[in-house]
């Protein structure tokens, strides 16, 4: 069986370190040299100037022979239940990067009674992947409701399954995997531990083996995104270690 694609999420290096290295474009040689297949670009890490240079970044990603994913820290559905009015803009930004997928959180889904989402998705060749984030809006019940209805409506979208975020919503990740795996086309690999009254993500070498069990409960061919901390004196070596680890699981 073909090995799953391994993607490095730029945010795994930390906001400060990304800035010190010169922005997300400066990470591409590190990610490529580490043997990864792709990069997830984070909108929240862009300066205003960098947001006007998406074509150039997309060109650099292609030069490094990496696939691209694009993450926007917003929800698909707003608090009043309406569709995010900037979805079309974000899909266009993803296209400028040459991204295969655009990731947003679910947000406050109510229903699919109008065809606005269908119409917006029809304008783009980028796949929308909806993630379970760390808010109550992404608990298992609303996620199931949304994907059941999206499937019934034959919407061209999938799920990003964030392995760690179920801790923040207080739910069983294995149960979520059992019920949602049919919709999953992208995985955010993350382990976390209690931290104060919340949780914090940790490197896989510092975690128990529960992440392996959970990863094996998800589609084996889904790309695996590294979204846990990548830290150390030699970022290439650290990144390669985890790229190799995830490719072997």
């Amino acid at each position: 069986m073909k090995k799953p694609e391994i993607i490095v999420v730029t945010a795994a290096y930390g906001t400060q370190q990304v800035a010190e290295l010169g922005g997300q474009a400066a990470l591409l040689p590190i990610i490529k040299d580490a043997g990864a297949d792709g990069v997830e670009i984070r909108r929240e890490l862009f300066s205003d100037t960098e947001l006007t240079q998406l074509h150039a970044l997309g060109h650099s990603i292609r030069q490094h022979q990496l696939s691209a994913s694009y993450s926007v820290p917003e929800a698909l559905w707003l608090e009043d239940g309406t569709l995010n009015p900037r979805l079309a803009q974000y899909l266009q930004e993803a296209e400028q990067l040459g991204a295969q997928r655009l990731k947003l959180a679910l947000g406050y889904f109510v229903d699919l009674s109008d065809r606005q989402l269908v119409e917006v998705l029809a304008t783009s060749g980028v796949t929308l992947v909806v993630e379970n984030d760390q808010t109550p809006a992404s608990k298992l019940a609303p996620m199931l409701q949304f994907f059941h209805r999206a499937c019934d409506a034959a919407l061209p979208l999938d799920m990003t399954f964030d392995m760690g975020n179920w801790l923040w919503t207080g739910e069983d990740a294995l149960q979520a995997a059992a019920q949602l795996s049919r919709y999953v086309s992208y995985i955010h690999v993350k382990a976390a531990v209690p931290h104060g009254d919340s949780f914090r993500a940790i490197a896989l070498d510092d975690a128990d083996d529960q992440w392996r069990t959970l990863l094996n409960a998800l589609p084996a061919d889904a790309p695996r995104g590294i979204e846990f901390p990548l830290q150390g004196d030699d970022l290439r070596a650290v990144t390669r270690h985890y790229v190799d680890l995830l490719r072997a699981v």
Side-chain angles (χ1 to χ4, degrees):
M1 186 176 66
K2 182 181 178 182
K3 294 292 185 180
E5 182 181 3
I6 307 300
I7 295 170
V8 178
V9 180
T10 57
Y13 296 103
T15 301
Q16 181 177 343
Q17 186 161 236
V18 172
E20 290 174 351
L21 290 170
Q24 295 179 88
L27 298 172
L28 300 180
I30 296 173
I31 292 169
K32 179 62 178 180
D33 290 350
D37 303 293
V39 59
E40 180 180 309
I41 299 297
R42 303 291 284 239
R43 193 177 197 272
E44 67 269 25
L45 296 181
F46 283 136
S47 66
D48 291 341
T49 299
E50 288 169 332
L51 269 172
T52 68
Q53 300 170 344
L54 297 181
H55 277 298
L57 178 57
H59 178 68
S60 184
I61 292 170
R62 290 188 293 276
Q63 280 190 317
H64 285 86
Q65 298 180 305
L66 294 168
S67 68
S69 301
Y70 187 42
S71 173
V72 174
E74 292 189 20
L76 181 60
W77 304 96
L78 305 184
E79 288 190 44
D80 62 1
T82 60
L83 187 68
N84 190 318
R86 299 177 73 182
L87 175 60
Q89 173 191 333
Y90 297 143
L91 285 166
Q92 290 172 358
E93 291 176 359
E95 290 173 359
Q96 291 177 56
L97 285 170
Q100 297 175 347
R101 60 184 66 86
L102 165 69
K103 182 184 72 66
L104 283 84
L106 177 61
Y108 299 84
F109 171 69
V110 177
D111 61 45
L112 294 172
S113 58
D114 67 52
R115 291 186 54 79
Q116 188 180 9
L117 179 56
V118 177
E119 292 166 357
V120 174
L121 292 179
T123 67
S124 177
V126 175
T127 299
L128 176 64
V129 286
V130 181
E131 182 186 44
N132 58 297
D133 67 4
Q134 297 172 6
T135 68
S138 287
K139 289 177 77 71
L140 179 56
M143 293 295 291
L144 278 171
Q145 181 187 45
F146 171 71
F147 281 106
H148 285 338
R149 294 189 183 180
C151 184
D152 289 344
L155 290 180
L157 55 80
D158 299 311
M159 180 181 180
T160 295
F161 189 101
D162 189 295
M163 293 169 49
N165 283 350
W166 301 105
L167 285 170
W168 275 263
T169 57
E171 295 185 291
D172 187 300
L174 278 172
Q175 180 183 354
Q179 298 189 58
L180 289 166
S181 62
R182 60 182 287 202
Y183 306 114
V184 174
S185 69
Y186 183 36
I187 301 166
H188 266 184
V189 180
K190 182 190 295 176
V193 294
H195 181 69
D197 58 358
S198 185
F199 299 89
R200 63 177 177 88
I202 59 172
L204 296 186
D205 284 351
D206 298 327
D208 59 30
D209 273 352
Q210 290 184 5
W211 67 267
R212 293 177 182 269
T213 303
L214 179 55
L215 188 58
N216 286 325
L218 294 166
D221 59 349
R224 299 169 174 181
I226 295 175
E227 207 201 16
F228 49 83
L230 293 174
Q231 300 171 337
D233 294 332
D234 187 339
L235 291 178
R236 282 177 173 80
V238 171
T239 306
R240 177 173 289 280
H241 168 70
Y242 286 113
V243 167
D244 292 346
L245 177 63
L246 287 183
R247 192 167 275 135
V249 175

